[in-house]
Every structure is written in C-alpha cells, then in structure tokens.
Amino acid sequence: MSTTLEIITTTVLWAITATCLVAAPGLPIAYLLARHQFPGHRILSTLLSLPMVLPPTAVGFLLLQLLADRGLLGREQLGIDLDILYTWKAVVLACSVMAAPLVIRTARVSFEEVDPELEQMARTLGYSRLKSFIRVTLPLAWKGLLAAVLLGFTRSLGEFGATVMIAGNIPGKTQTLASAIYSAQQSGKDERALLLVAVALLVGFVAIFLTEICLRPNTKNKGLTR
C-alpha cells in the first residue's frame, strides 16, 4: 500500500503537471475569446466549458471511448498504442480536462477587465502585438491569471470521477488523494481517511485563500483612474 506521503506527493506532482498542460494553451485561448469575435465563438466557449457542468464520470467515459482500441485515438485508428489508459498519464489527462474550464473562464474574465484601449495606445507607440501583450496586458491581468492557475491546480488536486474512469485506482500507480480517501473509507480505515481529508482541506484552503487575494479588486488603482 502506498504511504500517505507518497500519495500526497504524486497527487501534487500530477496536479502541477495537469495545470501546466492546461495553462499553456488555455491562457492564449482565454485571450482569444476575450479580445476577438469570430464565427463559432460562442460554440467554442460552450464546448470548452462543458466539463465544468457534466458529471466527471461522463467526461471520463467519453475519454475512455476516445482512447479505447477502437476509439478515434485508439490503437486501431492510429496504428500505435499511446499507452495512456490506466497509467499516470491518464490521471494527468483527466485532471487537465476537468481543470480546463476553470482556468480558461477565469483567465478570460481577467483579460476582459483590461481596457483594450491601453493595448491600442501601446501599438501606436510602436509596440508589436506580442510586446504590448507582455508589457501592458500581463502586468494588469497577472493576478487574475494567477488565480486561474490556482483554481486549475485545486480542481486537479481534487479530481476523482473522470480519473477513476480512465486511470483506475491502482495503489502505487494511479491512486490519487481523492481515490485514496475513497479506498480508505471503503476498507474501514477511517483514521487514514481523516488524515487524507485533513491534508486535502489544508491544501485547498491555502490555494483558495491565495485565489481570494488575487481576485480582490485593487481599489487604489480604481481611485487613480477616476
């Protein structure tokens, strides 16, 4: 049986990996949705938000069908075995998919709060789109973006339903903090379950507290702009 420290360590590492994988494409997508209107804008936004409202087990089932031997990304279709199901990679995939809506929607709101005219002013001063984004947009939106990343991390940390569907609950291989709590409770090991719950509460509280700080309106700046 995996030790409590091993479960916590691997779960945190998987959550960090999933958050990074989501943030890399998620933040640019959030900026695209915040700044540009194009055909299919609402459809894309809706599709990206679906994992947030669907039962996690439903998302896991769809991923299972997608990665099964006869699925679109399965061995028979691709000619190779991606070797994702029931491995740590499946844990990261499930966490990424479930965390993506929180990261993208929170980041999108953060970008929308930045006045587009400030970016346009930077462009008139000779800044390229990339430079104006780095020098103007990011400094103004960084707190909201950090909050988006933290929310994605906490969602990944607590993921259970989709993970169990495609990664299982294999001790020492794919068992996460959430599935370890479930296993401990099912086997009557309430003390172990309570310890794991306490760890989850502590990590979750710290992450959400930091998110609240990041999302707190900057009243000082607001007063300067009036």
Side-chain angles (χ1 to χ4, degrees):
M1 179 181 292
S2 300
T3 65
T4 301
L5 182 59
E6 287 175 345
I7 293 171
I8 295 170
T9 302
T10 53
T11 302
V12 169
L13 288 175
W14 290 333
I16 291 174
T17 303
T19 304
C20 292
L21 289 177
V22 170
L27 297 184
I29 291 173
Y31 183 78
L32 176 68
L33 293 173
R35 284 290 184 264
H36 302 281
Q37 292 292 330
F38 50 86
H41 180 280
R42 291 184 178 178
I43 294 177
L44 176 60
S45 179
T46 301
L47 288 174
L48 292 173
S49 301
L50 275 179
M52 189 165 56
V53 297
L54 287 175
T57 48
V59 176
F61 177 77
L62 292 174
L63 290 174
L64 188 62
Q65 295 299 307
L66 183 68
L67 296 169
D69 285 346
R70 296 183 180 180
L72 291 177
L73 297 179
R75 181 172 53 189
E76 293 186 7
Q77 293 292 331
L78 299 180
I80 58 173
D81 186 2
L82 296 178
D83 191 29
I84 293 178
L85 294 178
Y86 303 105
T87 68
W88 66 270
K89 290 176 283 187
V91 177
V92 172
L93 175 62
C95 291
S96 299
V97 172
M98 296 306 298
L102 276 175
V103 174
I104 294 173
R105 292 186 72 86
T106 306
R108 176 182 174 181
V109 172
S110 182
F111 284 131
E112 288 175 342
E113 290 180 349
V114 178
D115 191 345
E117 292 185 0
L118 296 176
E119 297 176 345
Q120 294 173 6
M121 290 175 60
R123 296 293 305 280
T124 61
L125 295 175
Y127 283 26
S128 64
R129 288 185 181 274
L130 179 59
K131 190 174 181 179
S132 64
F133 177 79
I134 295 174
R135 298 292 296 274
V136 177
T137 309
L138 283 183
L140 294 173
W142 75 268
K143 284 189 175 182
L145 300 182
L146 179 58
V149 171
L150 287 172
L151 286 173
F153 171 74
T154 54
R155 183 65 186 86
S156 298
L157 198 68
E159 167 50 29
F160 177 71
T163 303
V164 170
M165 292 292 289
I166 66 171
N169 181 18
I170 308 171
K173 188 177 180 181
T174 64
Q175 189 172 63
T176 64
L177 183 59
S179 59
I181 293 172
Y182 176 79
S183 295
Q185 188 276 327
Q186 288 292 302
S187 59
K189 298 177 181 178
D190 291 346
E191 291 185 1
R192 178 178 170 85
L194 284 172
L195 175 60
L196 294 171
V197 169
V199 172
L201 283 171
L202 177 61
V203 175
F205 178 86
V206 171
I208 296 299
F209 184 77
L210 292 175
T211 302
E212 288 292 325
I213 294 175
C214 292
L215 293 177
R216 183 180 180 182
N218 194 331
T219 54
K220 183 178 179 180
N221 286 343
K222 284 186 176 180
L224 291 173
T225 56
R226 288 178 181 176

